[in-house]
Amino acid sequence: MVLESSKWVMFIVCWLFKNVSCNSVAQKIYVELNNTVPCVRLLNATHQIGCQSSISGDTGVIHVLESEADLEWPLSKGPNPPYMVLLESSLFTKSIMMKMKNASSRVAGVVVVPKTSLPEFSPHTTCPNENTGVYTETYDHNLAHCNTTVWNPRGNGLSYEEFDFPVFSLKEDNETEIIKQCYFDHNRVVNGSGLQYPLCAMQLFSHMYAVTDTATCMRRSSIDFSSFPVKVCEPLGGYNVLAFIRPYNSTAFGHKENESVVIAAARLDSRAFFLEDSAGAEGSVSGFVTLLAAAQALREATQEAPPTRNILFAFFNGEVFDYIGSSRMVYDMKNNKFVIDLDNVHSILEIGQVAVRSGTNLFLHSDPVSRRNNTVHDEVTNLVKNLQSSTAGLNFSFVETGFSQPLPPSSFQRFLRARAIPGIVLADHQTAFNNRYYESFYDNAAHLNLTYPSNLSPEEQLEFVTDTAKSLTEVATAVARALFKQAGGNNSQVNNINADPKTVTQMLYGFLVRSNNSWFQAVMAPELKDVLQPNPPWYYVGVAKLSHQANALTYLVQYLLANLTGTATNLTQSQCKKPDELPNESTYMYSYFWVQGVVPPNSTQRESFCIRTAVRLAKAVSPAFVLGDYVSKEYSTWTESQWKFIKARIFLVASRDLEMLTLGVGVAVLFTSLLVTYFVSTKADVLFSVVREPNNAAY
Amino acid sequence: MTASVFFGCTFIAFGPAIALFLFTIARDPLRVIFLIAGAFFWLCSLLLSSLVWFITVQISNKESSSQQKGLLIFGVVLSVMLQETFRFGYYKLLKKANEGLLMLSAEETMPISIRQLAYVSGLGFGFMSGAFSMINILADSVGPGTIGIHGDSQHFFLSSAFMTMAIVLLHMFWGVVFFDSCEKQHWWSLAVVVISHLLVSCLTFQNPQYVGSLVPTYIIVFLVGLWAFFCAGGSLRNLKLCLTCKDKDFLLANHRPR
């Protein structure tokens, strides 16, 4: 009976326990900020860039910066250093950040609140990927290090600076309001007089484990003391998305006899100062959306009358960080780890930034050094001719750039480093970039003038064809026609090749406004539908994961390309998982994806089906990590530091005097009580005299 | 707030308790045992009262704040009653134990008198009560922030520390008075102990007007302290003799041969 009742008591206690709400003192002290984006540390062979906080967080009195002149208060005049400087994005400039970097003993951290944008802002370098492209001192001395053309003149290099205080960006507006309210209540200077304690302060935690450079942190990561090795840093990387129009056996690597391939390339990733905020609308989305639309346009024509040469649609990931994806592909081709090799590559057409035109022309960039060879020059001229004739009937034209100008930063440069292959890079800029926000978080849908009428629902916005979509559709049509001609297709079919503006506008909506829309839902696999969010996907390439997991962007492009170039089959879901059992299907040649499909009207069930496609993912991790050469000058050596946790919180701090007073009072109380107790205990027999009792008097 | 506030508040809250422990209890293992047993009894009373309060809170309407306040008052009163009940229980246990110890020990006299037991048990109650009041607050005082961002008073840590010191001292005094009145069967003084405990606990409902709760509490500490002094056998005469250092003569004078 006792056991029974005690069991009941235990049961009740356990049930009650999970309903506990903790109303502790900590909740009265701290307000946790949940939606913050930190600046993290990246390392390469020679440097570390990014931001670092101390291991127990950095605390500073909040100061809201109103203008650049106001910087004097945190940097020199303010009486309560260190300060946590809160600034709006219009004040997030290089000069202000550099001033704070130089006075970092008085600055505990910086918090950026995204609001209005600057007219131009690019935290990237002026000469992107200058050491890993093809223009080295040996290739051509005059063209190296952007001596002839500075591609990104607005670049201030802020993303590549090192800060020894944490820099965070706030995402949500409610939290900014709380912080500003706290600041106005407690921290405002009243007529230049001293501030009254308690003051509003903020603490930022973003302690990064890795230091110095990649070689150091990889060495520390490899020390294996316990069964749970601690990784100090991880190499950046992801997957390239590839699709041949005529697939090869995926297990047969190396040179293919009599096969000639035209590579159509585009870049997938981009970055910003705050890596999670990377948008890349003009920088990468314009390019790969155009290429996806061109792939769709070519599907019918290449299936009816396959051209002589094969076409490879290649979407390279990690290009921002010294061409991770393209350098890995070239390495694999050279080492017979890919289905074709460099001898099979006939020519390359790359789509760069194509959405911000300053006229009606798009420019064709080529490499002057390789064109000194006559064969290459003839092939390039032929490609230019194919491109220029493809714009017939469209509202723009292709113009070649000057003969002495090098290629802009592009994946094509890595192929040129290995071999002089003829190729063209398409771009909307003739010399410097038209992109005022190259690799910054302002390069978003608004930058591309992606405006929708205000009364449309999200689904209607998905279908609305914007002007940007129309112009990109024309570019895609021209690219598709040029690729068809370049691959030796029948000229009579060319005018039937047209890109679909509806596809383009849906892709632009999905990649720049909201990835969780009905079309993307229909195209994705059921187990991957959680990658679709009400925001655009992340464009930062991220850390190369050990398992076969890619980031959201890679999956989106993979499944879109599958949908746009593959064929629907009648296979059931279980057959789709094991198609080799069927006579006509082969996983060596094709990939089979079970996709969700659309929801027909008057029904709630999705019409899922199995799609057969030649789309494959190829690992995009820098060859430097394959070779173990962490100081490589040839390949990308970028790694991202690991960290334990990243958080931010605000609270009030009391004055030092009050704290010391508390300590003083405590010590005084302790000493007094020690004295009094000593005194009383030695005189206890006098003080507490007892009435004498015969048998039980004792002390 | 920082380490200095942490240490300051710890010393304020537990200074007298540490001093008393060091000088009067630490040398004698028997006293240590009874101290810990007393602390355990207080802990049991807390467990029981918190269980009851918890169940009632879960059953009640969580949205209505007046009901929650009423429940809190009920919880406080219940807790005080349970603490005093357990103190009485401990007294009974000690009486029985004393008889047992006497039978077992070879000596004729008791190793520890009931008066010392009263003091030790009261201090044990005080230790545990102070620990439960203060440890949670001390843990949060180590961080860089102080209370106030939601508009609460800044002096929370300091006043909690002073309140805890008062509680520790009060439990010690109540222990002495309680056992003494149980020995002499003075039930009215028992009632006064319980009422003063209730009064001090209910004074904390004045917070955050810390002055309103601390000042009356310290007045009660002083009064109960005086009462405990007299119960323990002290008198003004002894005090005067002590302070004027005439105690040696007094001792000799008192020790007449039996």
Side-chain angles (χ1 to χ4, degrees):
Chain A
M1 191 54 203
V2 175
L3 272 175
E4 276 276 313
S5 57
S6 64
K7 255 197 272 188
W8 266 110
V9 169
M10 283 306 296
F11 172 71
I12 290 175
V13 167
C14 293
W15 170 74
L16 290 173
F17 212 66
K18 69 176 175 57
N19 293 337
V20 172
S21 72
C22 201
N23 194 8
S24 76
V25 179
Q27 283 183 336
K28 292 221 179 270
I29 305 181
Y30 303 109
V31 173
E32 303 279 341
L33 303 174
N34 289 322
N35 290 325
T36 52
V37 181
C39 147
V40 299
R41 175 173 276 176
L42 296 171
L43 305 100
N44 70 359
T46 47
H47 289 87
Q48 57 181 15
I49 63 172
C51 321
Q52 165 79 309
S53 85
S54 63
I55 194 162
S56 52
D58 282 313
T59 313
V61 174
I62 297 179
H63 178 75
V64 173
L65 203 68
E66 273 142 34
S67 65
E68 185 154 355
D70 197 20
L71 256 186
E72 271 192 20
W73 180 263
L75 295 188
S76 47
K77 281 205 307 203
N80 327 98
Y83 284 93
M84 188 70 68
V85 180
L86 198 82
L87 34 82
E88 295 203 346
S89 45
S90 52
L91 287 171
F92 184 60
T93 60
K94 174 131 191 204
S95 65
I96 291 183
M97 289 302 287
M98 285 296 120
K99 282 190 195 161
M100 287 200 280
K101 178 177 170 173
N102 289 334
S104 67
S105 60
R106 283 183 64 103
V107 175
V110 176
V111 178
V112 180
V113 177
K115 248 195 182 167
T116 52
S117 64
L118 294 165
E120 58 181 42
F121 178 74
S122 170
H124 211 72
T125 47
T126 48
C127 193
N129 291 344
E130 74 183 274
N131 296 321
T132 42
V134 70
Y135 298 107
T136 53
E137 298 282 338
T138 43
Y139 193 71
D140 188 313
H141 177 69
N142 293 329
L143 301 175
H145 303 300
C146 294
N147 276 337
T148 19
T149 322
V150 177
W151 295 109
N152 188 23
R154 303 171 187 93
N156 53 30
L158 206 54
S159 293
Y160 289 85
E161 290 284 342
E162 186 200 338
F163 296 100
D164 57 2
F165 48 76
V167 182
F168 275 49
S169 166
L170 289 179
K171 267 201 271 194
E172 204 188 276
D173 259 316
N174 279 346
E175 288 179 345
T176 324
E177 278 317 303
I178 296 175
I179 297 175
K180 290 218 171 125
Q181 192 59 41
C182 185
Y183 172 75
F184 286 128
D185 287 341
H186 297 103
N187 288 18
R188 283 285 270 258
V189 184
V190 182
N191 294 336
S193 65
L195 294 168
Q196 291 278 13
Y197 273 98
L199 293 176
C200 197
M202 188 187 290
Q203 187 176 34
L204 299 178
F205 294 83
S206 67
H207 180 71
M208 302 285 139
Y209 291 153
V211 279
T212 323
D213 56 26
T214 294
T216 311
C217 79
M218 291 303 283
R219 186 188 74 224
R220 290 180 186 176
S221 298
S222 65
I223 297 175
D224 202 16
F225 283 132
S226 70
S227 48
F228 301 101
V230 173
K231 288 278 174 200
V232 174
C233 65
E234 296 272 12
L236 294 184
Y239 287 90
N240 296 328
V241 181
L242 308 168
F244 285 94
I245 50 173
R246 233 184 325 112
Y248 300 113
N249 186 330
S250 61
T251 51
F253 294 146
H255 183 74
K256 296 268 179 316
E257 281 299 325
N258 298 333
E259 287 287 338
S260 178
V261 181
V262 176
I263 300 184
R267 187 182 86 170
L268 279 182
D269 69 318
S270 72
R271 71 161 296 181
F273 182 81
F274 298 104
L275 294 168
E276 292 172 18
D277 265 347
S278 43
E282 154 80 339
S284 56
V285 177
S286 60
F288 76 73
V289 162
T290 311
L291 191 57
L292 282 170
Q296 183 193 33
L298 272 175
R299 172 187 173 194
E300 298 265 329
T302 52
Q303 277 177 355
E304 285 173 9
T308 18
R309 298 196 184 102
N310 206 344
I311 303 178
L312 169 62
F313 295 106
F315 297 85
F316 293 116
N317 215 343
E319 297 299 278
V320 174
F321 293 102
D322 291 334
Y323 304 123
I324 296 177
S326 50
S327 65
R328 179 58 183 266
M329 171 168 259
V330 172
Y331 173 83
D332 284 344
M333 281 182 178
K334 281 205 301 199
N335 292 299
N336 292 334
K337 292 202 186 118
F338 191 64
V339 291
I340 55 171
D341 76 348
L342 285 165
D343 290 326
N344 292 118
V345 177
H346 173 261
S347 50
I348 298 182
L349 174 62
E350 179 165 345
I351 309 185
Q353 307 178 72
V354 289
V356 179
R357 284 190 232 159
S358 54
T360 51
N361 291 334
L362 279 179
F363 297 96
L364 307 175
H365 297 258
S366 58
D367 171 45
V369 176
S370 60
R371 279 179 89 164
R372 291 179 199 149
N373 177 323
N374 282 332
T375 345
V376 174
H377 177 77
D378 291 336
E379 284 293 344
V380 174
T381 322
N382 191 31
L383 179 53
V384 169
K385 198 163 57 88
N386 282 336
L387 277 163
Q388 285 177 329
S389 58
S390 304
T391 58
L394 299 171
N395 288 335
F396 71 100
S397 52
F398 287 127
V399 172
E400 266 195 274
T401 56
F403 207 61
S404 58
Q405 189 171 261
L407 286 172
S410 50
S411 315
F412 175 37
Q413 288 196 22
R414 289 301 303 196
F415 286 86
L416 276 178
R417 247 175 112 117
R419 182 163 309 194
I421 300 177
I424 289 281
V425 176
L426 281 183
D428 53 24
H429 53 89
Q430 186 170 17
T431 49
F433 293 154
N434 286 344
N435 190 350
R436 301 181 315 231
Y437 301 123
Y438 185 65
E439 309 299 1
S440 108
F441 61 115
Y442 298 117
D443 190 9
N444 50 17
H447 180 216
L448 289 188
N449 286 335
L450 222 60
T451 46
Y452 299 93
S454 46
N455 53 344
L456 294 182
S457 72
E459 282 305 311
E460 287 166 353
Q461 282 180 352
L462 175 70
E463 311 269 323
F464 181 78
V465 179
T466 53
D467 291 334
T468 324
K470 285 181 195 153
S471 67
L472 283 183
T473 314
E474 295 204 327
V475 179
T477 306
V479 165
R481 290 180 185 174
L483 279 173
F484 190 69
K485 283 189 252 184
Q486 184 73 2
N490 194 340
N491 267 332
S492 59
Q493 301 290 323
V494 166
N495 285 333
N496 296 335
I497 297 174
N498 287 304
D500 183 8
K502 190 154 159 291
T503 315
V504 173
T505 195
Q506 283 179 328
M507 283 197 285
L508 283 177
Y509 182 80
F511 283 115
L512 294 175
V513 181
R514 169 199 289 263
S515 61
N516 189 5
N517 56 58
S518 58
W519 188 48
F520 278 23
Q521 285 275 1
V523 159
M524 287 301 276
E527 64 267 14
L528 288 173
K529 64 175 190 280
D530 292 330
V531 311
L532 300 177
Q533 301 285 324
N535 312 315
W538 281 5
Y539 291 94
Y540 169 53
V541 63
V543 160
K545 299 184 179 62
L546 284 176
S547 57
H548 289 283
Q549 267 186 328
N551 65 1
L553 180 65
T554 313
Y555 283 130
L556 278 174
V557 172
Q558 179 191 17
Y559 278 83
L560 272 175
L561 191 60
N563 178 288
L564 296 174
T565 59
T567 29
T569 62
N570 289 334
L571 275 61
T572 62
Q573 190 169 7
S574 50
Q575 283 175 331
C576 202
K577 288 198 174 62
K578 292 191 182 151
D580 286 321
E581 294 165 5
L582 297 166
N584 290 336
E585 314 288 359
S586 159
T587 48
Y588 291 130
M589 304 293 282
Y590 296 100
S591 316
Y592 294 84
F593 301 131
W594 182 257
V595 297
Q596 288 197 109
V598 293
V599 181
N602 302 334
S603 166
T604 48
Q605 275 294 89
R606 286 191 177 272
E607 291 175 346
S608 305
F609 61 97
C610 185
I611 196 164
R612 176 180 59 219
T613 169
V615 173
R616 295 209 182 263
L617 293 182
K619 212 151 176 51
V621 175
S622 170
F625 296 100
V626 173
L627 297 167
D629 177 15
Y630 303 129
V631 291
S632 165
K633 290 197 181 22
E634 173 86 7
Y635 300 112
S636 161
T637 47
W638 285 104
T639 52
E640 181 185 278
S641 167
Q642 299 283 80
W643 58 81
K644 190 164 181 191
F645 54 75
I646 289 190
K647 56 181 188 171
R649 56 187 184 179
I650 57 170
F651 44 85
L652 296 188
V653 280
S655 66
R656 196 117 181 91
D657 298 336
L658 187 61
E659 295 176 4
M660 285 300 143
L661 180 70
T662 312
L663 183 63
V665 169
V667 171
V669 163
L670 183 68
F671 273 135
T672 317
S673 46
L674 281 169
L675 277 174
V676 169
T677 311
Y678 179 69
F679 172 71
V680 169
S681 70
T682 46
K683 311 271 193 208
D685 39 2
V686 174
L687 277 176
F688 303 110
S689 61
V690 128
V691 172
R692 314 295 313 295
E693 283 167 70
N695 53 353
N696 59 353
Y699 275 109
Chain B
M1 274 147 83
T2 43
S4 45
V5 169
F6 172 76
F7 282 114
C9 286
T10 311
F11 292 153
I12 292 173
F14 295 111
I18 293 171
L20 286 165
F21 182 81
L22 273 178
F23 285 123
T24 59
I25 297 191
R27 293 263 176 86
D28 189 346
L30 205 58
R31 292 185 191 181
V32 173
I33 292 170
F34 284 117
L35 179 89
I36 293 176
F40 176 70
F41 265 73
W42 188 89
L43 201 57
C44 285
S45 84
L46 179 73
L47 182 65
L48 206 58
S49 56
S50 59
L51 200 63
V52 172
W53 179 74
F54 205 53
I55 294 175
T56 51
V57 162
Q58 295 305 315
I59 295 174
S60 77
N61 174 13
K62 291 218 181 79
E63 304 300 318
S64 145
S65 68
S66 63
Q67 209 179 55
Q68 294 299 312
K69 179 102 186 183
L71 269 180
L72 196 61
I73 296 176
F74 161 71
V76 165
V77 171
L78 176 71
S79 172
V80 169
M81 301 313 254
L82 276 174
Q83 283 176 45
E84 297 303 329
T85 311
F86 271 74
R87 207 197 296 273
F88 186 70
Y90 192 42
Y91 166 75
K92 281 284 177 218
L93 186 70
L94 285 178
K95 288 294 279 184
K96 276 214 190 116
N98 251 351
E99 290 165 19
L101 272 174
L102 197 58
M103 276 199 286
L104 285 174
S105 73
E107 300 168 24
E108 276 185 12
T109 54
M110 295 223 296
I112 182 167
S113 77
I114 201 74
R115 199 169 275 168
Q116 289 167 18
L117 277 175
Y119 158 68
V120 164
S121 77
L123 193 59
F125 269 50
F127 261 117
M128 207 40 133
S129 173
F132 266 79
S133 302
M134 204 56 195
I135 296 286
N136 184 27
I137 297 170
L138 284 176
D140 285 316
S141 73
V142 170
T146 182
I147 299 235
I149 195 163
H150 294 296
D152 308 298
S153 158
Q154 245 207 105
H155 302 294
F156 178 72
F157 292 127
L158 210 53
S159 48
S160 299
F162 276 108
M163 194 62 174
T164 306
M165 174 164 83
I167 294 280
V168 169
L169 291 173
L170 273 174
H171 269 290
M172 184 179 73
F173 298 145
W174 283 328
V176 172
V177 176
F178 195 94
F179 278 42
D180 189 59
S181 30
C182 282
E183 286 284 298
K184 296 189 182 135
Q185 313 268 327
H186 287 165
W187 306 117
W188 60 270
S189 50
L190 212 72
V192 173
V193 165
V194 178
I195 289 172
S196 66
H197 193 166
L198 270 172
L199 188 62
V200 169
S201 292
C202 292
L203 273 174
T204 59
F205 284 110
Q206 294 262 46
N207 293 341
Q209 270 97 26
Y210 296 123
V211 176
S213 71
L214 277 177
V215 169
T217 305
Y218 272 90
I219 293 174
I220 293 177
V221 170
F222 181 65
L223 290 172
V224 178
L226 269 181
W227 189 10
F229 178 66
F230 285 120
C231 277
S235 64
L236 276 176
R237 191 169 143 259
N238 292 349
L239 192 61
K240 254 199 294 197
L241 278 171
C242 221
L243 287 174
T244 52
C245 293
K246 288 212 184 106
D247 42 327
K248 288 203 182 57
D249 303 333
F250 176 69
L251 268 179
L252 283 171
N254 237 4
H255 273 247
R256 294 207 180 90
R258 295 190 208 182

